[in-house]
Amino acid sequence: MILKKLLIGTVITPFRIIKSGAVLIEDKRILAVDDVDKLRDSAEEIIDFSDLYIAPGFVDIHVHGGGGKDTMDGTLDALKVIAETHAKGGTTTFLPTTTTAPIDDIYKALKVIKQAMSVNMHDFGGARIVGAHLEGPYFNYSQAGAQNPAYLKNPNWEEMQTLLSTGIVRRVSLAPELPGALEMIKNLESQGVIVSIGHSDATYQQVIKAMEMGCTHVTHIYSGMSMVKRVKSYRISGVLESALLEDELTVELIADGHHLPPSLIKLIVKVKGFDHVCGITDAISAAGIGPGQYTSGGLEVIVENTVPNEYETIPSGYVAKLSNREAFAGSTALMINILNTLVELSSIPLQLAVKMITYNPAKIIKISNERGSIAPGKYADIVVFDRKYRVQLNITEGIEVFKSFS
């Protein structure tokens, strides 16, 4: 028998905060959200979280791995571990993200992601997969970062059609200045795929051309992108300046406390506005585990918390770096850590920070009609957390996939 459950607490929808609020759910869907006194009589089961926050489940549109597993492992077990690991951090919806690798390996990973999407939530557990994000291999060598340079290449539409044939590619990151990129952007946009500028050395003029073809988003702002440079005395704007300037472009940021200092997070939000920014983890396999030696995309990676004295804050947690420590290689964060950074380090109001990791990313990948906010008719994707940013309960599509209490 399916019961109508009432969750009581401080509800962040995230368009408003209801201090003595309640969310009524039945099966997979939200029935109502309102003051608790208006909904109490409608419930058959009441769960009291009066001292806690009740928010929409977090939506991570850029995550490679967690719990020791990576999307490129290409197995159902790996995706299950990733889904379960990130559920502990409040994620209810995510896009497993591939990395630069041979096309056959990417295709294999996509086929397994498709298989995982068809598995019943009762059997799979963890956060719900709603598609895939292709990060590579069509990137600029000069902005490779932690993408394996051995497999970087120019866009090839025939290859992309093979990948798209899986039917689950929701988002593609690429460098628009590469030969063949603009035509690929046009074709992807016509098929409803979100195209994002990433690992790119493009100039402002090249970014504008990409936008004209259908680019709408920028991958992990400040990481793997061109910035202003001088050519024969003249300053040439890059992807960074373009992302900040153009209102039509949304951006994502890795708010783990390591990739970006609070001052830059504040700058991004100040310039772009809260509605055009979302938080991501860009987590690798080390998420939820800890420091040590790892591999990512065939590259050696070290996870540590060694921070230079010049850095403006002392961040908690760990971060992944290439073995030479010359570039970051992703984060080890869960989404609850992203929220903590946005609020506690960057002084962003809680309601707006929650919106940046729920509704905003859901809107960017075009699923906000079903997920990303607490509203009647939407999926019962709910996270409950305390004032120390500890997840107490994760409900994904009405199913308790994680709880910290018995």
Side-chain angles (χ1 to χ4, degrees), residues 219-235:
T219 301
H220 46 45
I221 189 167
Y222 275 99
S223 295
M225 62 180 56
S226 54
M227 302 180 188
V228 65
K229 62 183 177 182
R230 298 187 74 156
V231 177
K232 297 181 179 179
S233 301
Y234 289 84
R235 292 175 179 85

Side-chain angles (χ1 to χ4, degrees), residues 281-352:
T281 63
D282 193 11
I284 67 165
S285 60
I289 298 180
Q293 301 285 339
Y294 295 84
T295 60
S296 179
L299 302 176
E300 295 299 318
V301 170
I302 185 168
V303 172
E304 62 181 16
N305 187 5
T306 302
V307 182
N309 294 331
E310 295 84 356
Y311 197 62
E312 67 189 59
T313 188
I314 302 176
S316 61
Y318 303 96
V319 69
K321 305 172 185 176
L322 294 179
S323 58
N324 61 12
R325 293 179 172 83
E326 292 184 358
F328 289 128
S331 89
T332 66
L334 304 181
M335 282 297 263
I336 193 67
N337 307 127
I338 302 300
L339 181 62
N340 188 1
T341 297
L342 292 174
V343 177
E344 299 300 328
L345 284 186
S346 306
S347 303
I348 294 174
L350 178 61
Q351 180 182 345
L352 294 173

Side-chain angles (χ1 to χ4, degrees), residues 140-168:
N140 196 309
Y141 187 89
S142 67
Q143 296 289 347
Q147 299 289 322
N148 194 328
Y151 303 112
L152 293 176
K153 54 169 58 179
N154 290 329
N156 181 309
W157 181 241
E158 183 176 342
E159 289 178 347
M160 181 58 72
Q161 285 181 303
T162 298
L163 302 178
L164 294 177
S165 70
T166 59
I168 53 97

Side-chain angles (χ1 to χ4, degrees), residues 65-328:
K69 302 294 184 179
D70 191 283
T71 297
M72 294 302 296
D73 292 345
T75 67
L76 269 179
D77 176 67
L79 291 175
K80 188 173 189 298
V81 171
I82 294 168
E84 290 173 344
T85 298
H86 286 276
K88 295 175 183 177
T91 297
T92 57
T93 306
F94 75 109
L95 297 182
T97 300
T98 61
T99 191
T100 297
I103 293 297
D104 288 346
D105 291 352
I106 297 173
Y107 181 66
K108 175 187 173 184
L110 292 179
K111 287 176 65 177
V112 177
I113 293 170
K114 182 176 183 178
Q115 185 180 355
M117 291 173 65
S118 67
V119 176
N120 187 288
M121 279 296 297
H122 287 282
D123 299 324
F124 195 73
R128 168 59 83 182
I129 297 171
V130 294
H133 168 208
L134 301 185
E135 190 182 17
Y138 309 125
F139 289 146
N140 196 309
Y141 187 89
S142 67
Q143 296 289 347
Q147 299 289 322
N148 194 328
Y151 303 112
L152 293 176
K153 54 169 58 179
N154 290 329
N156 181 309
W157 181 241
E158 183 176 342
E159 289 178 347
M160 181 58 72
Q161 285 181 303
T162 298
L163 302 178
L164 294 177
S165 70
T166 59
I168 53 97
V169 176
R170 188 173 286 274
R171 172 185 172 194
V172 173
S173 292
L174 53 73
E177 71 276 15
L178 297 179
L182 293 180
E183 187 67 23
M184 179 173 283
I185 293 167
K186 179 182 177 181
N187 292 338
L188 288 170
E189 195 273 340
S190 70
Q191 297 191 32
V193 178
I194 294 96
V195 186
S196 183
I197 299 172
H199 293 276
S200 166
D201 207 36
T203 63
Y204 175 71
Q205 294 96 320
Q206 290 170 323
V207 170
I208 293 299
K209 289 180 180 179
M211 293 173 62
E212 290 170 345
M213 287 297 186
C215 266
T216 58
H217 189 62
V218 174
T219 301
H220 46 45
I221 189 167
Y222 275 99
S223 295
M225 62 180 56
S226 54
M227 302 180 188
V228 65
K229 62 183 177 182
R230 298 187 74 156
V231 177
K232 297 181 179 179
S233 301
Y234 289 84
R235 292 175 179 85
I236 310 299
S237 297
V239 173
L240 173 62
E241 294 76 29
S242 305
L244 293 173
L245 175 64
E246 295 299 326
D247 292 339
E248 291 78 7
L249 290 173
T250 53
V251 303
E252 65 189 36
L253 53 83
I254 309 171
D256 63 346
H258 295 267
H259 280 75
L260 295 170
S263 59
L264 287 185
I265 293 176
K266 292 176 183 178
L267 174 64
I268 294 163
V269 172
K270 183 176 183 178
V271 175
K272 294 297 295 181
F274 290 103
D275 291 339
H276 290 79
V277 183
C278 78
I280 60 166
T281 63
D282 193 11
I284 67 165
S285 60
I289 298 180
Q293 301 285 339
Y294 295 84
T295 60
S296 179
L299 302 176
E300 295 299 318
V301 170
I302 185 168
V303 172
E304 62 181 16
N305 187 5
T306 302
V307 182
N309 294 331
E310 295 84 356
Y311 197 62
E312 67 189 59
T313 188
I314 302 176
S316 61
Y318 303 96
V319 69
K321 305 172 185 176
L322 294 179
S323 58
N324 61 12
R325 293 179 172 83
E326 292 184 358
F328 289 128

